[in-house]
Amino acid sequence: MDYIGLSEQEIIRREALKELQTLGINAYPAAEYPVNIFSKDILDRFDDNNMPEHLLNVCLAGRIMTRRIMGNASFAELQDNKGRIQLYFRRDDICTGEDKTMYNTVFKRLLDIGDIIGVKGYAFRTQMGEISVHVKEFTVLSKSIHPLPIVKEKDGVIYDAFSDPEQRYRNRSMDLIVNPQVKSAFINRTRLTNSMRSFLNEKGYLEVETPILQPLYGGAAARPFKTHHNTLNQTLYLRIANELYLKRLIVGGFDGVYEFAKDFRNEGMDRFHNPEFTQMELYVAYKDYNWMMNLVEEMVERISIDLHGDTKVQLGEKIIDFKRPWKRYTMYEAIQNFTGIDISNLSENELRQEARNLKVEIDDSMGKGKIIDEIFGAYCEKELIQPTFITDYPIEMSPLAKKHRSVDGLVERFEAICNGKEICNAYSELNDPIDQRERFEQQLVLAKRGDEEAMMLDEDFLKAIEIGMPPTAGLGIGIDRLTMIMTNSASIQDVIFFPQMRPEKKAETFDESVFMELGIEEVWAKILFKAGYTSVKMLKEANPGKLHQILCGWNKKNKLGLQNPTPDQVAVWINS
RNA sequence: GCGCUCGUAACUCAGUUGGUAGAGUACGAAACUUUUAAUUUCGGAGUCGUGAGUUCGAAUCUCACCGGGCGCACCA
């Protein structure tokens, strides 16, 4: 076995693995292990007065998380899918005959924190009062040769938590093992989508799947990821939204469709943005945006109750209350409320002046809608902590939304803002094909001016709504954002299992083959690299005597047990 | 992309005006048959992110680079 580059603890564990093998123990057995209970079930069902029969013969499996060895008796904590339970091992129970190897050697010396074992025994309560399993027999199910971070806890206080975000995100498996609150946030993410899904299914809407690889990207304003299909010899984009496909299904006669969609946007990353993220989009025929607002309130309130049993959710220092009805502002009302300025009757020039007075950064390319949006973003959005609907947006920013039924220049659109961030976006969908074509054409003008996020004209989509799309309400709700709020998470990385990270750069291009080409054995070539000789040039300049010493030192220090090279040999390498 | 900040043992962290790299846990050896952050004794463990520079001497000061976090910009 090649131990170069391993830490002391990793070497010790590999040695333990070898020793298990020489004892005839397969550390990675193939057979099913007949688990009949989880840790939590034992703790829940334990009854001192009336012990359930099945707790007298339990079989469970999991990971060893702590060990307290006291001579011929030991305690360990076993962590399984549902929690932890203390195990009690006694030498003479594990080893009923004369041979005490299973306890003295296998359990005490060759097992480690992190190993996965199965145990059979019975539930009991210790003198200290802790419900435990008295182990009669254990089986090694998987030897861990990589040490886990050690997290200790007493009276609810966590000591030495594994907390470095970089390590946690790069090594999520480890994070999930040692940080139970991380696991619980992800369980809540799934409970959230389950709750939303059953809400929508109960209403009779159909969950569907639409293309992720799209020849034209649309449905939102964002820069896409671009890829290529070889057989078709065609550019394809990863979707930035699925809106245009779901609407085609509405045209096709499905009156309610939804999709939990992974979308991809090639833009900045921060604690609210990951390049791939999840949106739930829903389209319901014959409804409008007022109806959709009611649905969003009802759905999110229900999710909160399903997850927390309450409409109130703790988020950092704040309490968010999802109880219906939520506050509703038109965008103009919101701006008036937070700036004191009524912009509803201003001309573009007057608006521009007000924006300057408010010190909102604007430039000449911005139209009226964009300026209003900038003012809203600067003065209103971050103030909206409790869930709030903002309605009636300027038409320029919303090429897929229907014109407002009574106010010129606006569309029937709303967003829900919560904790200063958008959590959903919805419209009365534009179903007038002539209007829709004109709006796309306006987008093309923007694109020609260099707006990278202007929408493309999607002829197939237009053809579909030309057939006739019923009046429809549409919704996109950010699942990651909503999960952050519902799980009290400060970063999107805490609700996505494997957030995007920059690749770790290797320390150097580790390639010992250049030394092997000089006739140096592979092991020694690797050691040369580890010792800092990373090029043939460095090797050529080395002092043969010193290098010989270094290599022999490595061998001894790391207990590699290799035959040391002779000084002559080393000199030959250097001079070859 | 910009600004601030961080990177030391497997994990969490100290490390003073620049002077032989430390602690707790973990790991190894020993004791201990109901402990629970077990305890007691002893021991080993490090490319101080990487590379240059200043210096007799750098974990420490300077610069560049790599990676992370936070903020800004971008992302309606």
Side-chain angles (χ1 to χ4, degrees), chain A residues 455-469:
Chain A
M455 285 188 198
M456 295 180 168
L457 190 149
D458 187 333
E459 207 57 67
D460 289 340
F461 169 68
L462 281 171
K463 203 183 288 171
I465 65 168
E466 281 168 10
I467 299 168
M469 183 169 88

Side-chain angles (χ1 to χ4, degrees), chain A residues 118-155:
Chain A
V119 299
K120 293 176 183 169
Y122 59 90
F124 78 114
R125 192 186 285 278
T126 65
Q127 281 179 7
M128 299 298 287
E130 178 154 348
I131 297 166
S132 308
V133 172
H134 190 128
V135 177
K136 309 292 275 184
E137 181 190 330
F138 72 92
T139 309
V140 181
L141 299 177
S142 182
K143 176 75 191 158
S144 165
I145 59 171
H146 191 101
L148 287 176
I150 302 299
V151 181
K152 299 240 174 179
E153 183 253 317
K154 189 190 185 184
D155 302 331

Side-chain angles (χ1 to χ4, degrees), chain A residues 191-206:
Chain A
R191 292 175 65 210
L192 183 153
T193 50
N194 285 348
S195 169
M196 189 178 285
R197 185 174 273 120
S198 37
F199 177 88
L200 297 168
N201 287 343
E202 282 162 25
K203 303 252 181 216
Y205 307 140
L206 187 72

Side-chain angles (χ1 to χ4, degrees), chain A residues 413-442:
Chain A
R413 168 177 176 179
F414 72 84
E415 291 188 359
I417 315 281
C418 182
N419 197 35
K421 290 280 170 193
E422 172 194 341
I423 57 170
C424 82
N425 183 17
Y427 326 126
S428 298
E429 299 295 338
L430 177 53
N431 65 340
D432 174 344
I434 307 296
D435 188 1
Q436 182 66 81
R437 182 174 290 276
E438 284 169 8
R439 303 268 200 102
F440 273 138
E441 278 161 2
Q442 286 159 13

Side-chain angles (χ1 to χ4, degrees), chain A residues 329-390:
Chain A
Y329 280 127
T330 67
M331 184 163 257
Y332 289 175
E333 286 167 353
I335 289 173
Q336 181 158 22
N337 187 60
F338 290 106
T339 67
I341 298 164
D342 178 5
I343 59 165
S344 55
N345 292 309
L346 297 186
S347 70
E348 183 167 330
N349 277 336
E350 289 167 327
L351 189 64
R352 218 170 265 285
Q353 193 51 50
E354 288 295 354
R356 289 204 187 92
N357 294 346
L358 291 167
K359 299 196 167 65
V360 173
E361 275 186 42
I362 52 166
D363 62 59
D364 292 343
S365 75
M366 291 179 180
K368 203 173 163 184
K370 183 73 181 162
I371 296 169
I372 292 170
D373 191 65
E374 290 290 325
I375 295 173
F376 180 78
Y379 280 86
C380 309
E381 200 167 14
K382 58 180 67 105
E383 305 296 328
L384 299 169
I385 303 304
Q386 296 304 320
T388 306
F389 288 118
I390 302 297

